[in-house]
Amino acid sequence: MKRRPLLDYALLGLLAQQPMTGYGLRRVFASTPMGVFSDSPGSIYPALGRLERDGLIRPSGQSGARAGSRLLTPTSAGLSALRRWLSAEITREDVARRIDELLLRFAFMDRHLDAALVDRFLGDLAESASAYVNELRAYARSAAGPPSSTGRLALGHGIAAYRATAQWARRAGAEWRKSHGLDVS
Amino acid sequence: MKRRPLLDYALLGLLAQQPMTGYGLRRVFASTPMGVFSDSPGSIYPALGRLERDGLIRPSGQSGARAGSRLLTPTSAGLSALRRWLSAEITREDVARRIDELLLRFAFMDRHLDAALVDRFLGDLAESASAYVNELRAYARSAAGPPSSTGRLALGHGIAAYRATAQWARRAGAEWRKSHGLDVS
DNA sequence: GCTAACATGTAATCCGTTACATGATTAT
DNA sequence: ATAATCATGTAACGGATTACATGTTAGC
């Protein structure tokens, strides 16, 4: 099971919220904060081709009366793949290098995972982000630390950003538990 | 003048701090928060090949008595290219999609730009990040806003993260001005 | 003598970007 | 009519990842 590009999961997650055409997906990327992904046809259509080839999505009708347009929907295999991706453990590498992927996963979670699992994700994220803050602080203090003054300040940005992430995760967890009647017993 | 990959500037910036071998650069990526870049030889050596082919770096000796090792140093053309990259205007796209690149630029700045320009960079970054926070908030309130509950919370993370960036930039600016005798008159 | 660290590369494959290309439908 | 929007693709190119491949030097 080779690693699937993040774009594939972004498309799969959006189609699971609402069947759309390729053009509709492009509009999402062009006009929302999901715009970290390119809206160019040269990335979207090949990705949709991959997903269809692998049986994760299928065409399910036309958009309005428009000839040639294809509304796309995840298959059950597609939903399984999505759930597997959403359920993966949070690793140190995810936090250090793929924080955007973790947030994308979270954004899609409510439709596909139990409330308790969503809560666990936020708890793990808060913990991992704090651990990474400690790592960055240790590096800042170490002899191998940043050699330049702006380098030191830039490291401070990393620390501030991950602190903000940890804090957000704790607060979001509290909010989530409140609105879902969960509580740490 | 085609766009150069970020990795090239990361290498150029590191070599401007200290001439190193390719292996030394790999170690930096493997053992510091610069680890957002891959330390695999398959990315580093082709990138160094590009930089040398384009006359931005040149070999300048051996590491110790090790045969075959090449210490690499930026040429004056390389330093110019680095300064051009460091001096570019901050765009909305930089903030929304390439925030890591902005921080990398900042980390290398002190050696290559005037203190006043570094200060201006931080001011512009604080302003751009705040503007982007407002954009995200407007989107959160809009009818097109996030359709799911975790989607809404994830957007909240984006807002929190960019708020942290703006705050960091203001504080770092204050610190920088203090240690460089600059002051807004 | 052996292992870890130092050191540099190449090949296959896949993905993303950019540019090109086409056509239908809706609104003005 | 004509422009904007809807809609789907392909081709060339370059870069990143992964795996392969090789050889030296220092420390134990």
Side-chain angles (χ1 to χ4, degrees):
Chain A
M1 37 186 97
K2 44 174 183 292
R3 191 156 186 74
R4 201 167 264 286
L6 185 55
L7 174 59
D8 291 21
Y9 291 109
L11 296 171
L12 210 43
L14 287 172
L15 293 176
Q17 287 181 342
Q18 161 110 277
M20 260 182 278
T21 65
Y23 187 78
L25 292 162
R26 291 183 60 201
R27 261 192 283 109
V28 171
F29 293 157
S31 67
T32 74
M34 302 248 324
V36 282
F37 296 99
S38 163
D39 67 328
S40 88
S43 66
I44 307 267
Y45 289 105
L48 292 174
R50 280 197 296 275
L51 289 168
E52 196 175 353
R53 182 209 350 123
D54 297 344
L56 304 188
I57 60 173
R58 64 181 170 77
S60 60
Q62 271 107 48
S63 176
R66 285 172 181 277
S69 76
R70 301 167 358 116
L71 282 177
L72 300 165
T73 313
T75 62
S76 58
L79 292 175
S80 298
L82 186 59
R83 253 191 308 272
R84 251 195 322 280
W85 174 64
L86 294 174
S87 308
E89 290 291 315
I90 296 177
T91 68
R92 191 233 166 231
E93 288 299 283
D94 287 334
V95 172
R97 306 177 53 168
R98 288 184 292 268
I99 190 78
D100 288 353
E101 177 168 357
L102 291 176
L103 269 295
L104 185 67
R105 281 170 54 184
F106 178 71
F108 288 143
M109 256 180 210
D110 55 352
R111 279 183 165 65
H112 304 283
L113 299 188
D114 287 348
L117 284 176
V118 174
D119 182 43
R120 191 154 80 92
F121 178 89
L122 288 172
D124 289 353
L125 179 55
E127 201 183 328
S128 305
S130 286
Y132 193 59
V133 167
N134 289 334
E135 233 186 271
L136 292 177
R137 282 185 171 143
Y139 176 75
R141 281 192 309 267
S142 78
S148 76
S149 55
T150 54
R152 244 186 317 280
L153 286 168
L155 185 58
H157 176 268
I159 292 170
Y162 279 102
R163 269 171 51 88
T165 294
Q167 191 172 71
W168 167 85
R170 281 189 296 269
R171 287 180 179 168
E175 205 174 314
W176 180 261
R177 283 189 298 277
K178 199 174 161 191
S179 64
H180 285 79
L182 295 176
D183 236 315
V184 233
S185 49
Chain B
M1 39 186 99
K2 43 173 181 295
R3 191 157 186 72
R4 201 166 265 286
L6 185 55
L7 174 60
D8 291 21
Y9 291 110
L11 296 170
L12 210 42
L14 287 171
L15 292 175
Q17 287 181 343
Q18 161 110 276
M20 258 181 281
T21 65
Y23 187 79
L25 292 162
R26 290 183 60 202
R27 261 192 284 110
V28 171
F29 292 159
S31 66
T32 73
M34 301 247 328
V36 283
F37 296 99
S38 164
D39 66 330
S40 88
S43 66
I44 307 267
Y45 290 104
L48 292 174
R50 281 198 296 276
L51 290 168
E52 196 175 353
R53 186 219 331 134
D54 297 345
L56 304 189
I57 60 173
R58 65 180 170 78
S60 61
Q62 271 108 45
S63 176
R66 285 173 181 278
S69 75
R70 301 167 359 115
L71 282 177
L72 300 165
T73 312
T75 61
S76 59
L79 292 175
S80 297
L82 185 59
R83 253 192 308 273
R84 255 197 318 282
W85 174 64
L86 293 174
S87 309
E89 290 291 314
I90 296 178
T91 68
R92 190 230 166 234
E93 288 299 285
D94 287 335
V95 172
R97 305 178 53 169
R98 287 184 292 269
I99 190 77
D100 287 353
E101 177 167 358
L102 291 176
L103 269 296
L104 185 68
R105 282 170 53 184
F106 178 71
F108 288 142
M109 255 179 210
D110 55 352
R111 280 184 165 62
H112 304 283
L113 299 187
D114 286 349
L117 284 177
V118 174
D119 182 43
R120 191 155 80 93
F121 178 89
L122 287 173
D124 288 352
L125 179 54
E127 202 182 329
S128 305
S130 287
Y132 193 58
V133 166
N134 290 333
E135 235 187 88
L136 292 177
R137 282 185 171 141
Y139 176 74
R141 282 191 310 268
S142 79
S148 76
S149 54
T150 53
R152 245 186 316 280
L153 287 169
L155 185 57
H157 176 268
I159 293 171
Y162 279 102
R163 269 170 52 86
T165 294
Q167 191 171 70
W168 167 85
R170 281 189 297 270
R171 288 180 180 170
E175 203 175 317
W176 180 261
R177 283 188 298 277
K178 200 174 161 191
S179 65
H180 285 79
L182 295 177
D183 236 315
V184 233
S185 51

